Amino acid sequence: MVPDISTGGRTYGLLVYLYGPGRRDEHTDPHLVASWLPELTPDPGRDAAASLKQLTDRLDLPVLALPKDRRPARHVWHCPVRTAPGDRHLTDDEWAQVASRIIHATGIAEEGDSQACRWIAVRHADDHIHLVATLVREDGRRPRRHQDGIRAQAECRRIEAEFGLQVLNPGDRTAAQRPTSAERSKAERTGRSEPSRETLRESARQALAGAADEEEFFRRLREAGLRIEKRLAPSGDTLGYKVALPGDRNRDGEPIWFSGSKLAPDLSLPKIRRRLAAGPADDDLSNEDQDHHRTDRHRPSRTRRSAAPLVERAAVTFAADDDEEAAAQLVGVGELLDALAQTAPASARGELSQAARAFERATRSHVRAERADNRALRSAARGILRAGDALGRGEDGGATAMLLSTLVLATIAAVHWHSARGHAQQAAAARQAALHLRAAYRSSAASPLSAMRASGHRLTPSTRLRHADAVSSALPARADQVLADPGWNALAATLDEAERAGYEPAALLQGAIDQRELQSADNVTDVLIWRVRRAAKLPAVSPTSIGTRQGATERTAAAHAPAHANHRPRR
């Protein structure tokens, strides 16, 4: 059950909407289910003689009784209350109870207070009601509604439990402010896919991902097409900033600005500066290196490969006891997701954008990361952005799949970390991010894993048996599961490539198993494939023919072969 409080200045205009057909004729049977004094409240939905003007006058009477200079400009309090998808439909009597309890909990009209504000509850759909109140009491004073949104949320949690509805996650005041109903309505009217606030928040997050300094952050905002206005001190120092979408204006034709703190708690300029203070290491390139960077078609895949072990280390941090360090790594993983979403192959970009948006909520809690260091992950995000778009084929696609496989495990570890600390909303957000990452992984991994399976099919029976023995020795409890998995041929091909490169398959497997637990893995075989390929410095894709594979692995062996074939590489 979700309450959504806002204020306005026109009682009649709101009632016209509530009793009208709706923007898509979605309103049915508008009528009152509760009010401050039922016997004196005209209901235009049930009484043909009642009008919206009469109802407006009754509600506004305490406001109009005040001298004009004492009337509040925004005297209308509006709170839609909606049940969750899948909940049963409440009766009118049940909605009346819900309305009275929320009105009491928020301080609008406490039970037994004869001088409280006037209010009504209108129902025009099965799954929600609209609470409307005028913010002047009968005695002319204002209601005490401090933190009314938090109190409404808390009361909704109690109502859900008592009415047998879905109990939603409680808030902890670290979430970004949601768009108001007016902002959502404007987005619908103007044909935007989402309210401006959400578009601006995502743009600000992406501009911050891997940014080296404040100047680069503002430059990226401008390059994203946003309008920027800085708040300057007399000395010329920047004290804050606000952003607006081009063309997004109010009724007076002025831009609709949002300060960073209104977009999200961690997007205020002071908090951005704290994050940048421990920013990525200086990776400025010489002119010669920049020329090479622009022509290096393998750079996107290399940056993804180098980011994977950093994400692995972050996942290990989530299982440790250092909460401050874990909080910092959550922020770093969030920036990496933002960077990856901007440069991912087209086939995975949509799911990655959704994953980054979801995980953004998981990066904020009351656990502070004042002294912890996430420079490595921020540098990785910066490298991914500087490397540019990955095409999603060949080595780029394999490297993307390798990184996504690791990110899935990291987000699952984040779910466990938040759950253990009672961070319900953050745990749910990390869980949602993991779902989107799984979908992105499946689309990215399909082609490289198919090539590896084809190589595995061509191995001789004796070679396959030798690698199966290595799996049985390293992972006895799960050997049957791995060997029966459709991905076994891809793992066998990977072990064969590693062996040809001079590594001992059993040692590589053991190292891959020891990196981190496998219980949370959706597919143990896939995780082992990517860990082994990364440890043995193999290409992220397997060659598609024996001849090609032999040539590639011989070149790999020349570059990376240890002193002797049985040497176990350092991890």
Side-chain angles (χ1 to χ4, degrees), residues 425-503:
Q425 289 194 359
Q426 292 87 340
R431 193 175 293 111
Q432 187 65 32
L435 290 176
H436 289 296
L437 285 170
R438 287 185 176 104
Y441 169 76
R442 286 193 292 269
S443 66
S444 299
S447 177
L449 287 178
S450 176
M452 293 181 210
R453 286 194 294 270
S455 293
H457 272 298
R458 290 191 291 268
L459 296 176
T460 64
S462 60
T463 300
R464 290 164 59 84
L465 180 60
R466 187 171 68 255
H467 296 318
D469 289 341
V471 171
S472 298
S473 299
L475 202 65
R478 292 196 174 189
D480 291 342
Q481 173 190 347
V482 172
L483 296 176
D485 190 275
W488 156 239
N489 284 309
L491 178 57
T494 295
L495 293 174
D496 190 55
E497 288 181 64
E499 186 177 50
R500 290 172 177 272
Y503 290 83

Side-chain angles (χ1 to χ4, degrees), residues 172-192:
D172 62 0
R173 303 186 68 186
T174 62
Q177 183 176 334
R178 292 186 304 161
T180 65
S181 56
E183 290 171 12
R184 290 195 294 270
S185 297
K186 183 176 182 179
E188 292 179 8
R189 290 196 310 272
T190 57
R192 291 197 183 99

Side-chain angles (χ1 to χ4, degrees), residues 5 43 55 61 134 252 293 310 316 379 382 403 419 469 488 509:
I5 294 173
D43 183 4
L55 182 54
L61 186 59
T134 45
D252 298 323
H293 163 70
L310 303 177
V316 172
S379 292
R382 182 174 178 79
L403 179 54
S419 297
D469 289 341
W488 156 239
L509 273 173

Side-chain angles (χ1 to χ4, degrees), residues 122-345:
V122 178
R123 183 179 190 180
H124 57 205
D126 289 332
D127 64 347
H128 71 277
I129 59 172
H130 289 259
L131 298 173
V132 180
T134 45
L135 294 175
V136 175
R137 293 164 46 88
E138 299 285 357
D139 56 14
R141 295 186 293 116
R142 305 286 181 85
R144 291 179 293 183
R145 44 179 288 261
H146 177 61
Q147 296 186 338
D148 54 354
I150 294 173
R151 288 187 280 167
Q153 290 279 0
E155 187 63 25
C156 283
R157 300 295 83 77
R158 290 187 283 268
I159 292 170
E160 288 162 351
E162 294 174 24
F163 282 41
L165 306 175
Q166 298 178 54
V167 179
L168 304 183
N169 294 324
D172 62 0
R173 303 186 68 186
T174 62
Q177 183 176 334
R178 292 186 304 161
T180 65
S181 56
E183 290 171 12
R184 290 195 294 270
S185 297
K186 183 176 182 179
E188 292 179 8
R189 290 196 310 272
T190 57
R192 291 197 183 99
S193 61
E194 63 185 5
S196 301
R197 184 191 299 270
E198 294 186 347
T199 302
L200 292 168
R201 181 164 55 240
E202 181 173 36
S203 297
R205 276 198 349 259
Q206 292 182 344
L208 184 57
D213 51 35
E214 190 175 320
E215 181 181 349
E216 183 175 3
F217 169 66
F218 286 122
R219 175 176 57 78
R220 289 184 184 179
L221 287 177
R222 285 190 294 270
E223 290 174 350
L226 273 56
R227 301 187 65 168
I228 307 172
E229 187 172 293
K230 298 180 183 180
R231 182 164 57 89
L232 301 178
S235 62
D237 295 334
T238 303
L239 300 177
Y241 75 100
K242 54 186 179 180
V243 290
L245 287 178
D248 187 20
R249 298 180 179 274
N250 59 22
R251 65 180 61 185
D252 298 323
E254 299 169 338
I256 299 178
W257 297 100
F258 292 86
S259 65
S261 60
K262 292 296 184 183
L263 295 178
D266 52 353
L267 289 177
S268 67
L269 188 57
K271 291 187 177 180
I272 285 175
R273 283 171 172 165
R274 281 201 291 272
R275 188 187 300 190
L276 293 174
D282 185 4
D283 64 346
D284 288 342
L285 304 175
S286 66
N287 291 335
E288 182 179 348
D289 289 338
Q290 288 178 12
D291 291 338
H292 175 67
H293 163 70
R294 284 191 288 267
T295 59
D296 182 4
R297 63 186 180 88
H298 296 299
R299 186 172 174 86
S301 61
R302 284 209 304 271
T303 57
R304 284 157 170 73
R305 288 176 65 100
S306 62
L310 303 177
V311 177
E312 284 270 14
R313 286 202 286 273
V316 172
T317 301
F318 301 151
D321 295 327
D322 190 339
D323 281 3
E324 186 175 298
E325 179 64 24
Q329 298 308 310
L330 284 168
V331 173
V333 171
E335 288 201 33
L336 192 66
L337 279 171
D338 280 323
L340 200 58
Q342 296 177 69
T343 60

